[in-house]
């Protein structure tokens, strides 16, 4: 029981530390936000005045989010590794999964903040709207973010422990996260278009896939983190 | 080698059943496939002792430290740290050891107090506020406690790193090349600090600095290719033998 | 072990040749209705090899992950070798899946590539496991290399079924062509299919053992080299 209380405290301390550092430097959220805006402007150039843009709206949104998340995920462990902090953290009596949950929660939060700011901007810029249920739309985004931050935290820990460091992350992160991309595009795109009937069923099966993915990868991360972060 | 075995014999004979050595390593071997990273390492370190560990890169020094601090499991052999087995009581042992490394293990974007608070939470330190005040006074950084570590000089960062390592009142301190990158002035301050905490701690230091390493230690050891090639008490230390072995193994390799 | 490997190769050769004979000489030609006319599809024959290769590749990835997990649990080097060898073979078989699938799309639709769900899944799997090899080459210390790539082999294997289902969420122009449900197959077709699938699996096991032995020999060579050099 005592162990559990201190575990929760450790997770909270890791999250708090990341928030303090982020509030001070603002490097993660600001650079992620600017990056996503730039990508959106790039879309405008790439697609011109295409009438059928709304068909791709969900897909483009998630491509932008995924690359933005990559940017943030890389930063998140560079700080830990730079001054040997990770070594100090490993030497403390902390259960490894607690380090994972702390870092994952921080990443989830930063990615979500950027998305909360950018989704309305995206809608305005491209004259889009959400025809379906907004609650459903938000749940689809949250489910996708859990998947992205879980797998992202796990794999950025892998990549930071290699010679290639942040160069490796996209190569191992993108193929693992592709199912989330597909499910996120199908669900958010469908909800934005306000689909019904068979297509709505497809939205729900995409969200079921997201739920299964999140649960399974949280378990995988819990089981593997000990081996991934150090011996 | 004969001296080393003599010392081991002596340690065995002098063993007082009531006295538990702080670190006890017996026939420790670590292999990966065919490669022997550590080969039948045995030594003992009494409470308050200071072991200086020399050896070229890849000799197994870091692996040895990682095994003693419970980060890596040994392939075979016995280890006791404060009488505890690292495989069974890893959390308890980690709570008793501290590390001062050549990197500070501090977050540059946090200030001194935030850094100590963070590690305090990791170690579940009691009366954290008082402990932080006390330590910052001891390393003379009280006046800079709200400044970001990023703005510190190398020497100040090292002092804060010491405060960080002492935060949870460890009884064993590991020093991993603590002198590297420090200017002579910072080395002086570092060693004064070390002196002031010397009595109540047991030390194991990895170093390439022969002069400092021999001056500080109570026992000296050279590891080469995962084996002990030199191990002597300071009082009986054969400096010529040490130097010739060191020259041959360490310098010859690098 | 060397003898066993040779024997397995022999068995695989017999089985695969039998499968080949059954597929081309015994199994009937598939005939479908197209524009009111009967059209026989000769290219369907590739299915007797394409599907077994695909299944063997998946088996290899799963076994790679199992050995990976065993390595993490026991930290014995042999499991790293077995896991690496199995993933490597899964990758080679995967490349063959893409190649045979490509031959089929070429003859059926006249294009080199179609975003057919199964082929797309394999393309993604190839990329997924390319990451495995890049990861291995990015770690120099042997035990860390084994540890991180073992973890990744597990992560990748968990990703495989999700990739499979996620692809099917996206509406596809082409129907799923390679329908391997046994119900519609005649006995002789099923026999050809099963024999070549079994042969392919035996071939995989034989290659796994062979690769394992070369990895062990490589380690021995490194060890002796170090001994001489040191």
């Amino acid at each position: 029981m005592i162990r559990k209380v201190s575990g929760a405290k450790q997770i909270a301390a890791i999250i708090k530390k990341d928030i303090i550092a982020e509030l001070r430097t603002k490097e993660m959220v600001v650079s992620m936000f600017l990056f996503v805006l730039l990508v959106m402007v790039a879309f405008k150039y790439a697609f011109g005045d295409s009438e059928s843009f709304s068909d791709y709206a969900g897909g483009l949104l998630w491509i932008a989010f995924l690359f933005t998340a990559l940017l943030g995920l890389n930063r998140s462990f560079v700080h830990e590794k730079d001054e040997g902090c990770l070594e100090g953290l490993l030497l403390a009596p902390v259960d490894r999964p607690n380090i994972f949950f702390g870092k994952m929660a921080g990443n989830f939060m930063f990615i979500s903040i950027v998305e909360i700011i950018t989704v309305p901007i995206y809608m305005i810029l491209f004259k889009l709207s959400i025809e379906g249920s907004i609650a459903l739309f938000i749940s689809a985004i949250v489910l996708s973010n859990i998947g992205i931050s879980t797998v992202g935290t796990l794999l950025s820990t892998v990549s930071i422990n290699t010679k290639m460091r942040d160069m490796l992350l996209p190569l191992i992160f993108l193929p693992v996260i592709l199912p989330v991309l597909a499910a996120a595009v199908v669900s958010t795109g469908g909800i934005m278009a306000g689909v019904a009937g068979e297509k709505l069923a497809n939205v729900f099966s995409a969200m079921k896939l997201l739920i299964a993915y999140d649960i399974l990868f949280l378990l995988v991360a819990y089981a593997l983190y000990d081996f991934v972060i150090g011996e | 080698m004969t001296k080393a075995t003599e010392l081991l014999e002596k340690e065995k004979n002098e063993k007082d059943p009531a006295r538990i050595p702080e670190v006890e390593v017996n026939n420790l071997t670590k292999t990966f496939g065919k490669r022997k990273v550590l080969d039948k390492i045995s030594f003992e370190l009494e409470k308050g002792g200071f072991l200086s560990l020399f050896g070229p890169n890849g000799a197994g020094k870091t692996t040895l430290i990682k095994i003693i601090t419970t980060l890596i499991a040994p392939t075979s052999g016995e280890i006791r740290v404060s009488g505890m087995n690292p495989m069974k009581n890893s959390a308890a042992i980690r709570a008793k050891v501290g590390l001062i490394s050549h990197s500070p293990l501090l977050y540059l974007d946090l200030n001194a107090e935030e850094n100590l608070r963070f590690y305090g939470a990791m170690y579940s330190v009691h009366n954290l506020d008082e402990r932080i005040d006390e330590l910052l006074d001891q390393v003379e950084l009280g006046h800079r406690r709200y400044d970001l570590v990023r703005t510190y000089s190398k020497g100040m960062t090292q002092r804060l790193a010491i405060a960080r390592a002492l935060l949870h009142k460890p009884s064993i301190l590991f020093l991993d090349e603590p002198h590297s990158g420090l200017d002579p002035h910072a080395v002086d301050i570092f060693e004064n600090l070390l002196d002031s905490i010397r009595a109540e701690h047991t030390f194991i230091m990895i170093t390439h600095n022969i002069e400092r390493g021999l001056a500080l230690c109570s026992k000296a050891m050279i590891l080469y290719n995962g084996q002990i090639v030199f191990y002597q008490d300071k009082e009986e230390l054969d400096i010529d033998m040490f130097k010739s072995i060191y020259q041959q193994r360490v310098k010859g390799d690098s | 072990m060397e003898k066993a490997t040779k024997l397995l190769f022999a068995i695989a050769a017999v089985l695969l040749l039998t499968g080949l004979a059954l597929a081309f000489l015994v199994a009937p030609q598939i005939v479908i209705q197209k524009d009111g006319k009967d059209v026989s599809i000769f290219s369907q024959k590739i299915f007797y090899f394409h599907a077994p290769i695909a299944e063997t590749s998946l088996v290899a990835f799963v076994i790679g992950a199992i050995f990976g997990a065993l390595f993490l649990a026991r930290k014995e080097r042999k499991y790293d070798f077995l896991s690496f060898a199995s993933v490597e073979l899964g990758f080679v078989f995967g490349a063959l899946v893409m190649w045979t699938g490509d031959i089929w799309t070429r003859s059926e639709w006249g294009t080199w590539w179609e975003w057919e769900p199964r082929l797309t899944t394999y393309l993604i799997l190839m990329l997924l496991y390319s990451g495995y090899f890049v990861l291995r080459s990015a770690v120099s210390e042997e035990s860390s290399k084994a540890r991180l790539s073992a973890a990744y082999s597990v992560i990748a294997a968990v990703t495989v079924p999700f990739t499979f289902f996620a692809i099917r969420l996206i509406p596809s122009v082409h129907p799923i062509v390679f329908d391997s449900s046994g119900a519609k197959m005649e006995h002789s077709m099923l026999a050809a299919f099963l024999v070549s699938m079994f042969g392919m699996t035996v071939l995989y096991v034989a290659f796994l053992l062979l690769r394992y032995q070369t990895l062990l020999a490589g380690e021995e060579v490194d060890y002796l080299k170090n001994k001489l050099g040191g």
Side-chain angles (χ1 to χ4, degrees):
Chain A
M1 195 56 209
I2 295 164
R3 209 177 151 83
K4 270 193 182 153
V5 172
S6 74
K9 270 190 187 163
Q10 289 169 335
I11 296 175
I14 292 173
I15 300 173
K16 191 179 161 196
K17 168 204 70 122
D18 281 347
I19 294 177
I20 294 175
E22 179 58 32
L23 285 177
R24 200 160 276 149
T25 62
K26 297 174 189 71
E27 60 183 6
M28 229 166 119
V29 168
V30 170
S31 55
M32 280 163 77
F33 171 67
L34 287 177
F35 180 79
V36 91
L37 267 190
L38 285 167
V39 172
M40 285 173 182
V41 174
F43 284 161
K44 188 69 200 165
Y45 277 102
F47 286 85
D49 281 329
S50 169
E51 282 297 315
S52 60
F53 183 80
S54 62
D55 286 351
Y56 306 110
L60 293 175
L61 186 67
W62 281 104
I63 288 173
F65 283 165
L66 218 53
F67 282 96
T68 310
L70 258 178
L71 203 69
L73 287 166
N74 265 330
R75 291 303 305 163
S76 131
F77 270 95
V78 167
H79 289 301
E80 303 288 341
K81 196 81 179 176
D82 266 354
E83 301 300 322
C85 296
L86 198 57
E87 214 181 322
L89 207 53
L90 288 178
L91 211 54
V94 190
D95 284 342
R96 303 323 190 214
N98 291 348
I99 302 178
F100 169 79
F101 288 121
K103 293 303 287 182
M104 181 252 166
N107 287 331
F108 175 80
M109 208 160 49
F110 296 136
I111 292 169
S112 299
I113 288 171
V114 173
E115 291 177 356
I116 289 169
I117 309 170
T118 42
V119 167
I121 297 178
Y122 186 67
M123 301 276 175
I124 293 167
L125 285 180
F126 293 97
K127 302 187 178 62
L128 299 164
S129 59
I130 302 169
E131 305 293 335
S133 148
I134 290 189
L136 210 56
F137 184 75
I138 291 171
S139 354
I141 289 185
V142 169
L143 286 174
S144 310
N145 284 357
I146 293 174
I148 291 171
S149 45
T150 301
V151 169
T153 306
L154 180 61
L155 291 178
S156 60
T157 314
V158 171
S159 70
I160 202 72
N161 280 315
T162 68
K163 284 184 291 195
M164 285 170 79
R165 290 189 139 208
D166 44 345
M167 282 291 289
L168 180 66
L169 186 60
L171 300 184
I172 55 178
F173 173 71
L174 289 175
V176 177
I177 208 70
L178 272 180
V180 170
L181 177 72
V185 170
V186 169
S187 54
T188 52
I191 297 164
M192 279 165 83
V195 294
E198 199 183 312
K199 281 193 169 169
L200 190 62
N202 207 25
V203 168
F204 283 120
S205 46
M207 288 179 73
K208 275 184 211 150
L209 185 114
L210 285 174
I211 292 170
Y213 186 98
D214 292 353
I215 292 173
L216 218 64
F217 273 98
L218 277 168
L219 288 174
V220 167
Y222 181 79
L224 289 183
Y225 207 64
D226 210 346
F227 304 111
V228 161
I229 196 164
E231 270 179 85
Chain B
M1 268 318 269
T2 48
K3 280 263 182 177
T5 35
E6 254 172 52
L7 182 56
L8 279 178
E9 281 302 308
K10 207 180 85 187
E11 277 170 355
K12 270 186 196 145
N13 295 336
E14 281 175 3
K15 207 160 180 181
D16 172 358
R19 187 190 64 106
I20 304 169
E22 196 73 336
V23 180
E24 194 180 356
V25 174
N26 213 336
N27 253 328
L28 170 68
T29 298
K30 172 79 187 173
T31 57
F32 186 68
K34 292 221 142 230
R35 216 169 81 81
K36 280 198 166 144
V37 187
L38 288 173
D39 191 7
K40 298 199 190 86
I41 303 288
S42 297
F43 72 91
E44 243 175 46
L45 193 60
E46 66 289 349
K47 217 175 168 63
F50 194 125
L51 174 72
S52 283
L53 201 52
F54 302 90
N57 294 332
K61 296 174 305 228
T62 313
T63 308
L64 177 60
I65 300 279
K66 280 190 171 173
I67 291 174
I68 299 173
T69 53
T70 79
L71 295 181
I72 302 183
T75 309
S76 65
E78 270 179 59
I79 306 145
R80 288 278 178 282
V81 180
S82 294
M84 292 180 290
N85 181 341
M87 292 323 290
K88 288 179 187 143
N89 304 296
S90 66
I93 290 178
R94 276 190 237 146
K96 291 199 76 163
V97 303
L99 170 69
I100 299 170
S101 164
H102 45 97
S103 28
L105 319 187
L106 295 166
Y107 294 94
L108 299 183
D109 290 320
L110 300 185
N111 63 34
E113 193 188 307
E114 287 160 352
N115 263 298
L116 295 180
R117 247 175 219 297
F118 172 68
Y119 280 106
M122 292 300 121
Y123 283 98
S124 313
V125 175
H126 292 293
N127 297 329
L128 187 57
D129 293 318
E130 287 165 38
R131 184 75 186 136
I132 290 175
D133 291 343
E134 189 187 336
L135 278 169
L136 287 177
D137 278 348
Q138 199 180 345
V139 298
E140 292 166 29
L141 282 172
H143 61 297
R144 299 285 306 259
R145 69 188 293 162
Y146 298 118
D147 290 342
L148 295 193
V149 177
R150 195 177 283 290
T151 65
Y152 283 19
S153 70
K154 184 89 188 159
M156 286 165 72
T157 314
Q158 177 74 309
R159 263 144 65 201
L160 186 60
I162 295 171
R164 187 206 72 85
L166 296 177
L167 189 64
H168 56 293
K169 300 189 175 163
S171 57
I172 307 168
L173 277 175
F174 290 89
L175 311 179
D176 186 359
E177 298 179 35
H179 297 98
S180 78
L182 291 186
D183 57 56
H185 178 62
V187 168
D188 277 349
I189 297 177
F190 171 67
E191 300 222 324
N192 282 336
L193 255 169
L194 216 56
D195 260 353
S196 68
I197 58 171
R198 176 81 189 252
E200 61 265 35
H201 295 87
T202 306
F203 291 86
I204 296 183
M205 175 165 81
I206 293 180
T207 184
H208 291 301
N209 189 330
I210 302 181
E211 191 193 334
R212 307 301 331 145
L214 288 182
L216 289 165
C217 74
S218 66
K219 281 176 179 173
M221 181 187 287
I222 301 178
L223 275 185
Y224 180 75
N225 259 349
Q227 290 177 320
I228 298 179
V229 292
F230 180 93
Y231 178 43
Q232 285 184 1
D233 262 346
K234 173 127 162 239
E235 294 109 60
E236 299 155 14
L237 191 113
D238 183 342
I239 188 79
D240 294 328
M241 183 178 161
F242 176 89
K243 285 205 166 144
S244 82
I245 292 179
Y246 189 86
Q247 211 71 13
Q248 185 189 337
R249 303 294 199 189
V250 182
K251 287 280 164 59
D253 246 45
S254 57
Chain C
M1 196 191 280
E2 274 169 49
K3 266 194 178 160
T5 314
K6 276 181 191 157
L7 188 66
L8 284 171
F9 272 116
I11 295 171
V14 170
L15 284 170
L16 287 173
L17 286 172
T18 316
L20 203 66
L22 286 174
F24 282 98
L25 304 175
V26 182
Q29 191 92 323
I30 286 264
V31 175
I32 59 159
Q33 294 279 316
K34 203 175 183 182
D35 308 327
K37 277 183 281 182
D38 280 353
V39 183
S40 81
I41 306 177
F42 179 70
S43 63
Q44 179 269 345
K45 296 282 186 204
I46 204 166
F47 157 77
Y48 296 109
F49 308 97
H50 177 80
I53 293 171
E55 287 180 42
T56 309
S57 149
L58 288 181
V59 166
F61 288 143
V62 171
I63 289 179
I66 291 171
F67 281 127
L70 271 173
F71 174 80
L72 294 178
R74 307 240 174 101
K75 294 280 162 66
E76 286 171 35
R77 188 146 201 207
K78 62 177 179 196
Y79 295 120
D80 171 50
F81 284 158
L82 286 165
S83 173
F84 175 53
S86 194
V87 170
E88 225 176 29
L89 283 169
F91 194 79
V92 172
F93 277 92
L96 285 175
V97 172
M98 302 216 39
W99 185 52
T100 49
D102 211 41
I103 294 174
W104 201 85
T105 44
R106 177 70 187 151
S107 79
E108 201 55 22
W109 292 311
T111 48
W112 288 112
W113 178 257
E114 285 297 325
W115 291 96
E116 191 266 340
R118 286 185 193 204
L119 285 181
T120 311
T121 307
Y122 261 90
L123 177 63
I124 295 168
L125 293 194
M126 290 290 99
L127 290 170
L128 179 67
Y129 280 96
S130 302
Y132 176 88
F133 300 108
V134 180
L135 169 62
R136 271 191 94 90
S137 68
V139 190
S140 39
E141 211 264 306
E142 293 291 330
S143 67
S144 305
K145 177 189 290 205
R147 181 167 51 83
L148 292 176
S149 57
Y152 188 75
S153 73
V154 175
I155 295 168
V158 174
T159 313
V160 171
F162 285 107
T163 307
F164 192 83
F165 288 119
I167 291 298
R168 277 146 189 81
L169 288 173
I170 298 163
S172 164
V173 191
H174 294 290
I176 293 170
V177 194
F178 295 120
D179 192 351
S180 53
S181 61
K184 281 177 277 171
M185 282 200 273
E186 280 182 33
H187 286 309
S188 59
M189 294 167 77
L190 190 64
F193 173 72
L194 285 178
V195 167
S196 84
M197 187 160 105
F198 193 55
M200 222 46 99
T201 312
V202 176
L203 187 67
Y204 154 73
V205 176
F207 269 121
L208 183 68
L209 289 178
L210 183 68
R211 186 72 180 112
Y212 176 58
Q213 286 159 43
T214 58
L215 287 169
L216 281 181
E219 189 194 19
E220 183 77 35
V221 169
D222 278 347
Y223 173 71
L224 292 174
K225 253 196 231 163
N226 275 335
K227 221 174 169 185
L228 287 175

